[in-house]
Amino acid sequence: MSYSKIVGVGHCVPDQVITNDYLSSLMDTNDAWIVERTGIHERRWVDPTKDTVANLAARASLKALERAGIGVKEVDFIVFATITPDYYFPGSGVLLQRELGLEGIGALDIRNACSGFIYALSVADQFIKSGMYKTILVVGAEIQSTALDVTTRGRNTAVIFGDGAGAVVLRPSEKPGILSTHLHSDGRFAEELYVRDPGSSRPREERQPEQILDTTTYKVVMNGSQVFKHAVVRFTEVINEALVANQVTKDQISLLIPHQANLRISQFIQEKMGLQNEQVFNNIMHYGNTTAASIPIALSEAFEQGRVRENDLLCLAAFGSGFTWASALIRW
Ligand code: UT7
């Protein structure tokens, strides 16, 4: 059997560091609340006059290609996960393709929010295993800061989300590789974490310019406690699903890289599954929740810190808007 394998990983975060104290100057919040409830100390925000989702993604992709020792022209497909594309349409996949000068190759956009990177990895894995493509860039990238409500009204989301990008290069391999991916959704909870507009289900009269001036429906709406409650259940479920499917135990996991939604969620999963500190990677303290970008950024940082070594067993897991949740078990 042939597999797909991650042969390079890279990330790129904007330079601008936004501290909790800075947010306290914009809204009624404080460092103690944010650290206690989320574990976040700071996050990165782009300079919107310079950065785009596609160029953050391009920088992460070039790093991943460099680490893989693969020339950019060898990339034959892009799978791009984001919920914050540069334009409403087209998706940012084609913009990344343009940035990299890869005229003519296919570019697919994935909109599965926090689970988007694992969905993207799963799609790319199937394309590699079927023999359709040989070198796929799988990207998660977000610019969320420009859409946040940074007044007290939006404080339950404004303090959480951040910007950044991560990418991996996927290639065929005789040795594993991606062992399995597991994807789920439950749309009954779609409105528990969503952005309403510009939604096509609005009647035309509600989409006139004077209505659109009311921008509140363009902001993130999140029922935090409801999302939290479902997250802790689904995360453990989908991690166990990956372990059972591959007949391995939790003790064999070298590193679990959960989507960085909230440090308390990661700690809850760690405790519930009985994992050691060295088995779980967290970097939400520095970047906040970067949605589809969080797993590849974390994977890239774990790699840089020497926490991902050859033959290690990695588990990626995510939960978020949709609801969607997913996992991937990987032999590095
Ligand atoms: O990426 C995947 C999806 N997202 C998640 O997984 C997020 C899951 N949920 C969470 O992380 C947490 O629910 C939050 C961090 C969003 C909120 O934490 P919480 O412990 O669930 O707080 P809460 O929403 O129950 O709010 C508690 C209090 C409220 O005040 P009252 O009603 O008790 O007076 C809020 O108004 O905290 C208040 N509050 C804040 N206070 C200071 C909410 N946001 C803030 C804030 N600063 N930024």
Side-chain angles (χ1 to χ4, degrees):
M1 180 181 165
S2 66
Y3 296 90
S4 76
K5 196 170 178 70
I6 295 174
V7 294
V9 56
H11 73 281
C12 170
V13 291
D15 296 333
Q16 194 183 184
V17 177
I18 302 294
T19 62
N20 293 342
D21 286 340
Y22 174 71
L23 292 180
S24 311
S25 71
L26 303 176
M27 64 190 85
D28 181 14
T29 189
N30 58 77
D31 180 62
W33 191 96
I34 300 172
V35 172
E36 190 199 318
R37 303 290 178 121
T38 71
I40 300 167
H41 291 263
E42 59 193 29
R43 72 288 293 140
R44 303 295 180 97
W45 284 3
V46 293
D47 171 351
T49 63
K50 286 203 304 222
D51 295 313
T52 66
V53 167
N55 76 38
L56 289 180
R59 280 179 270 161
S61 300
L62 290 172
K63 183 46 114 185
L65 286 163
E66 181 194 317
R67 285 188 176 143
I70 290 173
V72 65
K73 294 290 177 202
E74 290 183 57
V75 173
D76 55 5
F77 198 68
I78 290 169
V79 189
F80 197 123
T82 185
I83 51 162
T84 53
D86 295 298
Y87 304 133
Y88 182 57
F89 74 84
S92 289
V94 298
L95 302 181
L96 175 61
Q97 172 261 304
R98 182 172 72 187
E99 295 255 350
L100 296 177
L102 291 168
E103 283 75 15
I105 71 161
L108 173 70
D109 288 83
I110 302 266
R111 285 170 52 86
N112 290 80
C114 304
S115 309
F117 180 77
I118 299 179
Y119 269 74
L121 193 68
S122 180
V123 169
D125 179 43
Q126 314 312 315
F127 275 139
I128 296 271
K129 285 201 284 216
S130 74
M132 188 153 172
Y133 296 114
K134 297 259 173 303
T135 307
I136 303 183
L137 268 180
V138 186
V139 181
E142 308 282 2
I143 293 180
Q144 306 184 108
S145 57
T146 51
L148 296 173
D149 177 353
V150 294
T151 68
T152 298
R153 186 182 49 198
R155 66 182 179 173
N156 77 322
T157 51
V159 303
I160 293 176
F161 294 105
D163 304 338
V168 302
V169 184
L170 211 61
R171 279 222 152 155
S173 163
E174 283 311 310
K175 289 200 302 188
I178 293 178
L179 299 169
S180 66
T181 54
H182 308 271
L183 312 177
H184 299 280
S185 70
D186 189 344
R188 285 177 301 167
F189 301 99
E191 289 79 17
E192 300 294 347
L193 172 50
Y194 83 132
V195 174
R196 175 70 181 83
D197 287 314
S200 58
S201 58
R202 282 258 190 239
R204 193 179 305 113
E205 46 287 3
E206 286 182 24
R207 291 161 66 93
Q208 299 312 304
E210 58 280 10
Q211 299 286 341
I212 289 170
L213 283 178
D214 170 17
T215 56
T216 51
T217 60
Y218 287 76
K219 305 291 180 201
V220 183
V221 172
M222 177 168 80
N223 181 349
S225 57
Q226 179 80 338
V227 176
F228 195 105
K229 272 188 233 153
H230 283 261
V232 290
V233 174
R234 295 306 194 185
F235 260 113
T236 33
E237 222 174 74
V238 81
I239 295 166
N240 280 322
E241 185 182 354
L243 297 180
V244 169
N246 293 282
Q247 296 177 313
V248 293
T249 66
K250 50 120 179 148
D251 299 325
Q252 291 170 269
I253 297 177
S254 316
L255 198 62
L256 168 68
I257 302 184
H259 161 57
Q260 303 291 294
N262 183 321
L263 189 62
R264 285 192 296 142
I265 294 178
S266 290
Q267 288 168 338
F268 189 96
I269 304 163
Q270 178 179 338
E271 198 175 316
K272 200 160 158 196
M273 297 203 60
L275 297 170
Q276 305 299 313
N277 285 340
E278 58 274 16
Q279 285 179 286
V280 184
F281 189 84
N282 290 304
N283 63 0
I284 191 168
M285 306 70 96
H286 308 300
Y287 303 123
N289 178 343
T290 55
T291 304
S294 93
I295 289 178
I297 292 174
L299 178 62
S300 176
E301 284 210 325
F303 175 82
E304 286 172 358
Q305 293 169 18
R307 291 185 65 183
V308 179
R309 290 166 298 264
E310 197 171 350
N311 224 29
D312 275 359
L313 189 64
L314 303 189
C315 184
L316 314 181
F319 176 88
S321 169
F323 293 147
T324 59
W325 60 103
S327 64
L329 204 68
I330 298 170
R331 181 68 66 189
W332 194 260

Coordinates of all heavy atoms in Angstrom, one line a residue, residues 10-16 44-48 50-64 80 82 84 86 92 95-96 99-100 137-146 162-167 290 293 296-297:
G10 N 5.9 24.5 7.3 CA 6.4 25.9 7.6 C 5.2 26.8 8.1 O 4.1 26.4 7.9
H11 N 5.6 27.9 8.7 CA 4.5 28.8 9.1 C 5.0 30.2 9.0 O 6.2 30.5 8.9 CB 4.0 28.5 10.5 CG 5.0 28.9 11.6 ND1 6.1 28.1 12.0 CD2 5.0 30.0 12.4 CE1 6.8 28.7 12.9 NE2 6.2 29.9 13.3
C12 N 4.0 31.1 9.1 CA 4.3 32.6 9.0 C 3.3 33.3 9.8 O 2.1 33.1 9.6 CB 4.3 33.0 7.5 SG 4.3 34.8 7.3
V13 N 3.7 34.1 10.8 CA 2.8 34.9 11.5 C 3.2 36.4 11.4 O 4.4 36.7 11.2 CB 2.8 34.5 13.0 CG1 2.1 33.2 13.3 CG2 4.1 34.6 13.7
P14 N 2.2 37.3 11.4 CA 2.5 38.7 11.3 C 3.4 39.2 12.4 O 3.4 38.6 13.5 CB 1.2 39.4 11.3 CG 0.1 38.3 11.3 CD 0.8 37.0 11.6
D15 N 4.1 40.3 12.1 CA 5.1 40.8 13.2 C 4.4 41.5 14.3 O 4.9 41.5 15.4 CB 6.0 41.9 12.5 CG 6.9 41.3 11.4 OD1 7.2 40.0 11.5 OD2 7.3 42.0 10.5
Q16 N 3.2 42.0 14.1 CA 2.6 42.9 15.1 C 2.0 42.0 16.3 O 1.1 41.2 16.1 CB 1.4 43.7 14.4 CG 0.9 44.8 15.3 CD -0.3 45.5 14.6 OE1 -0.7 46.5 15.2 NE2 -0.8 45.0 13.5
R44 N -1.1 37.6 17.2 CA -0.6 38.5 16.1 C -1.7 39.0 15.3 O -2.6 38.3 14.9 CB 0.4 37.7 15.2 CG 1.5 37.0 16.0 CD 2.4 38.0 16.6 NE 3.5 37.4 17.3 CZ 4.8 37.2 16.8 NH1 5.0 37.5 15.5 NH2 5.7 36.6 17.5
W45 N -1.6 40.3 14.9 CA -2.5 40.9 14.0 C -1.7 41.4 12.8 O -0.6 42.0 12.9 CB -3.3 42.1 14.6 CG -4.4 41.7 15.6 CD1 -4.7 40.5 16.0 CD2 -5.2 42.6 16.2 NE1 -5.8 40.5 16.9 CE2 -6.1 41.9 17.1 CE3 -5.4 44.0 16.3 CZ2 -7.1 42.4 17.9 CZ3 -6.3 44.6 17.1 CH2 -7.2 43.8 17.9
V46 N -2.3 41.3 11.6 CA -1.6 41.8 10.4 C -1.7 43.3 10.3 O -2.5 44.0 11.0 CB -2.3 41.2 9.1 CG1 -2.1 39.8 9.0 CG2 -3.7 41.6 9.0
D47 N -0.8 43.9 9.5 CA -1.0 45.2 9.0 C -1.7 45.1 7.7 O -1.2 44.6 6.7 CB 0.4 45.9 8.8 CG 0.3 47.2 8.1 OD1 -0.8 47.6 7.6 OD2 1.3 47.9 8.0
P48 N -3.1 45.4 7.7 CA -3.9 45.1 6.5 C -3.4 45.9 5.2 O -3.9 45.5 4.1 CB -5.3 45.5 6.9 CG -5.2 46.1 8.2 CD -3.8 46.1 8.7
K50 N -0.4 45.8 4.3 CA 0.7 45.0 3.7 C 0.4 43.5 3.5 O 0.8 42.9 2.5 CB 1.9 45.1 4.7 CG 2.6 46.4 4.7 CD 4.1 46.3 5.2 CE 4.1 45.6 6.6 NZ 5.0 46.2 7.6
D51 N -0.3 42.9 4.5 CA -0.5 41.5 4.4 C -1.8 41.1 3.9 O -2.8 41.7 4.0 CB -0.4 40.9 5.9 CG 1.0 41.1 6.5 OD1 2.0 40.8 5.8 OD2 1.1 41.6 7.6
T52 N -1.8 39.9 3.2 CA -3.1 39.3 2.8 C -3.0 37.8 3.2 O -1.9 37.3 3.6 CB -3.2 39.3 1.2 OG1 -2.2 38.5 0.7 CG2 -3.1 40.7 0.7
V53 N -4.2 37.2 3.2 CA -4.2 35.8 3.6 C -3.3 35.0 2.6 O -2.5 34.1 3.0 CB -5.6 35.2 3.5 CG1 -5.6 33.7 3.6 CG2 -6.4 35.8 4.7
A54 N -3.4 35.3 1.3 CA -2.6 34.6 0.3 C -1.1 34.8 0.5 O -0.3 33.9 0.3 CB -3.0 35.0 -1.1
N55 N -0.7 36.1 0.9 CA 0.8 36.2 1.0 C 1.4 35.7 2.3 O 2.5 35.2 2.4 CB 1.3 37.6 0.6 CG 1.1 38.7 1.7 OD1 1.2 38.5 2.8 ND2 0.8 39.9 1.2
L56 N 0.5 35.6 3.4 CA 1.0 34.9 4.6 C 1.1 33.4 4.2 O 2.1 32.7 4.6 CB -0.1 35.0 5.7 CG -0.3 36.3 6.4 CD1 -1.4 36.1 7.5 CD2 1.0 36.8 7.1
A57 N 0.1 32.9 3.5 CA 0.2 31.5 3.0 C 1.4 31.2 2.2 O 2.0 30.1 2.3 CB -1.1 31.1 2.3
A58 N 1.7 32.1 1.3 CA 2.8 31.9 0.4 C 4.1 31.8 1.2 O 5.0 31.0 0.9 CB 2.9 33.1 -0.6
R59 N 4.3 32.7 2.2 CA 5.5 32.7 3.0 C 5.6 31.3 3.8 O 6.7 30.7 3.9 CB 5.6 33.9 3.9 CG 6.1 35.1 3.1 CD 6.1 36.3 4.0 NE 4.9 37.0 4.0 CZ 4.5 37.9 4.9 NH1 5.2 38.2 5.9 NH2 3.3 38.5 4.8
A60 N 4.5 30.9 4.3 CA 4.5 29.6 5.0 C 4.8 28.5 4.0 O 5.6 27.5 4.4 CB 3.1 29.4 5.7
S61 N 4.2 28.5 2.9 CA 4.4 27.5 1.8 C 5.9 27.4 1.4 O 6.5 26.3 1.2 CB 3.5 27.7 0.6 OG 2.2 27.7 1.0
L62 N 6.5 28.6 1.2 CA 7.9 28.6 0.7 C 8.8 28.0 1.8 O 9.8 27.3 1.5 CB 8.3 30.0 0.3 CG 7.6 30.6 -1.0 CD1 7.9 32.0 -1.2 CD2 8.0 29.7 -2.2
K63 N 8.5 28.3 3.0 CA 9.3 27.7 4.1 C 9.1 26.2 4.1 O 10.1 25.4 4.3 CB 8.8 28.3 5.4 CG 9.5 27.9 6.7 CD 11.0 27.9 6.6 CE 11.7 28.9 7.4 NZ 13.1 29.0 7.2
A64 N 7.9 25.7 4.0 CA 7.7 24.2 4.0 C 8.4 23.6 2.8 O 9.0 22.5 2.9 CB 6.2 24.0 3.9
F80 N -6.4 24.7 0.1 CA -6.3 25.9 0.9 C -7.5 26.0 1.9 O -8.6 26.2 1.5 CB -6.3 27.1 0.0 CG -5.7 28.4 0.7 CD1 -4.6 29.0 0.1 CD2 -6.3 28.9 1.8 CE1 -4.1 30.2 0.7 CE2 -5.8 30.1 2.4 CZ -4.7 30.7 1.8
T82 N -9.4 28.0 4.7 CA -9.5 29.3 5.4 C -11.0 29.7 5.5 O -11.8 29.3 4.6 CB -8.8 30.5 4.6 OG1 -8.9 31.7 5.4 CG2 -9.4 30.7 3.2
T84 N -11.4 33.0 6.2 CA -11.2 34.5 6.0 C -10.5 34.7 4.7 O -9.4 35.3 4.7 CB -10.5 35.1 7.2 OG1 -9.3 34.3 7.4 CG2 -11.3 35.0 8.4
D86 N -9.3 36.4 1.1 CA -9.1 37.8 0.8 C -10.3 38.4 0.2 O -10.6 39.6 0.4 CB -7.9 37.9 -0.2 CG -6.6 37.4 0.5 OD1 -6.2 38.1 1.5 OD2 -6.0 36.4 0.1
S92 N -9.0 32.0 -1.7 CA -7.6 32.4 -1.7 C -6.6 31.3 -2.3 O -5.4 31.6 -2.5 CB -7.2 32.6 -0.2 OG -7.8 33.8 0.2
L95 N -5.3 32.7 -5.4 CA -4.3 33.8 -5.1 C -3.0 33.3 -4.6 O -1.9 33.9 -5.0 CB -5.0 34.7 -4.0 CG -6.3 35.3 -4.4 CD1 -6.8 36.2 -3.3 CD2 -6.3 36.1 -5.7
L96 N -3.0 32.2 -3.9 CA -1.7 31.6 -3.5 C -1.0 31.0 -4.8 O 0.2 31.2 -4.9 CB -2.0 30.5 -2.5 CG -0.7 29.6 -2.1 CD1 0.4 30.5 -1.5 CD2 -1.1 28.5 -1.2
E99 N 0.5 33.9 -6.4 CA 1.7 34.4 -5.6 C 2.9 33.5 -5.9 O 4.0 34.0 -5.9 CB 1.4 34.4 -4.1 CG 0.4 35.3 -3.7 CD 1.0 36.6 -3.0 OE1 2.2 36.6 -2.7 OE2 0.2 37.5 -2.7
L100 N 2.7 32.2 -6.1 CA 3.8 31.3 -6.2 C 4.1 31.1 -7.7 O 5.1 30.3 -8.0 CB 3.4 29.9 -5.6 CG 3.2 29.9 -4.1 CD1 2.8 28.5 -3.6 CD2 4.5 30.4 -3.3
L137 N 0.5 21.2 -1.9 CA 0.6 22.2 -0.8 C -0.7 22.2 0.0 O -1.8 22.4 -0.6 CB 0.8 23.6 -1.3 CG 2.3 24.1 -1.5 CD1 2.2 25.5 -2.0 CD2 3.1 24.0 -0.2
V138 N -0.7 21.9 1.3 CA -1.9 21.9 2.1 C -1.7 23.1 3.1 O -0.7 23.1 3.9 CB -2.1 20.6 2.9 CG1 -3.4 20.6 3.6 CG2 -2.0 19.4 1.9
V139 N -2.6 24.0 3.0 CA -2.4 25.3 3.7 C -3.6 25.6 4.6 O -4.7 25.3 4.3 CB -2.3 26.4 2.7 CG1 -2.0 27.7 3.3 CG2 -1.2 26.1 1.7
G140 N -3.3 26.2 5.8 CA -4.3 26.8 6.6 C -3.9 28.2 6.9 O -2.8 28.4 7.4
A141 N -4.7 29.2 6.6 CA -4.3 30.6 6.8 C -5.5 31.5 7.1 O -6.6 31.2 6.5 CB -3.6 31.1 5.5
E142 N -5.3 32.4 8.0 CA -6.4 33.3 8.4 C -6.0 34.7 8.7 O -4.9 34.9 9.3 CB -7.1 32.8 9.7 CG -7.6 31.3 9.7 CD -8.9 31.0 8.9 OE1 -9.4 32.0 8.3 OE2 -9.3 29.9 9.0
I143 N -6.8 35.7 8.3 CA -6.7 37.0 8.9 C -8.0 37.3 9.5 O -9.0 37.6 8.8 CB -6.4 38.1 7.8 CG1 -4.9 37.8 7.2 CG2 -6.5 39.5 8.3 CD1 -4.5 38.8 6.1
Q144 N -8.1 37.2 10.8 CA -9.3 37.4 11.5 C -9.5 38.7 12.2 O -10.5 39.2 12.5 CB -9.5 36.2 12.6 CG -9.3 34.9 11.9 CD -9.5 33.7 12.8 OE1 -10.5 33.0 12.7 NE2 -8.6 33.4 13.7
S145 N -8.3 39.4 12.4 CA -8.3 40.6 13.2 C -9.1 41.7 12.5 O -9.7 42.5 13.2 CB -6.8 41.1 13.4 OG -6.2 41.3 12.1
T146 N -9.1 41.7 11.2 CA -9.8 42.8 10.5 C -11.4 42.7 10.6 O -12.1 43.6 10.3 CB -9.5 42.8 9.0 OG1 -9.6 41.5 8.5 CG2 -8.0 43.3 8.8
G162 N -6.8 35.2 16.3 CA -5.5 35.9 15.8 C -5.3 35.5 14.4 O -6.1 34.7 13.7
D163 N -4.2 36.0 13.8 CA -3.9 35.8 12.4 C -2.6 35.0 12.2 O -1.7 35.0 13.1 CB -3.6 37.2 11.7 CG -4.7 38.2 11.9 OD1 -5.8 37.8 12.1 OD2 -4.4 39.4 11.8
G164 N -2.5 34.3 11.1 CA -1.3 33.5 10.8 C -1.6 32.5 9.7 O -2.7 32.4 9.2
A165 N -0.5 31.8 9.3 CA -0.6 30.8 8.3 C 0.4 29.7 8.5 O 1.5 29.9 9.1 CB -0.3 31.4 6.9
G166 N 0.0 28.5 8.1 CA 0.9 27.3 8.2 C 0.7 26.4 7.0 O -0.4 26.5 6.3
A167 N 1.7 25.7 6.6 CA 1.6 24.9 5.4 C 2.4 23.6 5.5 O 3.4 23.6 6.2 CB 2.1 25.7 4.2
T290 N -6.1 30.7 15.8 CA -5.9 31.1 14.4 C -6.7 30.2 13.5 O -6.4 30.0 12.3 CB -4.4 31.1 14.0 OG1 -3.9 29.8 14.3 CG2 -3.6 32.2 14.8
A293 N -5.4 27.9 10.6 CA -4.0 27.9 10.6 C -3.4 27.3 11.9 O -2.2 27.1 11.9 CB -3.5 29.4 10.5
P296 N -1.3 23.7 11.5 CA 0.0 23.7 10.8 C 1.0 24.7 11.5 O 2.2 24.4 11.4 CB -0.4 24.2 9.4 CG -1.7 24.8 9.5 CD -2.4 24.1 10.6
I297 N 0.5 25.8 12.1 CA 1.5 26.6 12.8 C 2.1 25.9 14.0 O 3.3 25.8 14.2 CB 0.8 27.9 13.3 CG1 0.4 28.9 12.2 CG2 1.8 28.7 14.3 CD1 -0.4 30.1 12.6

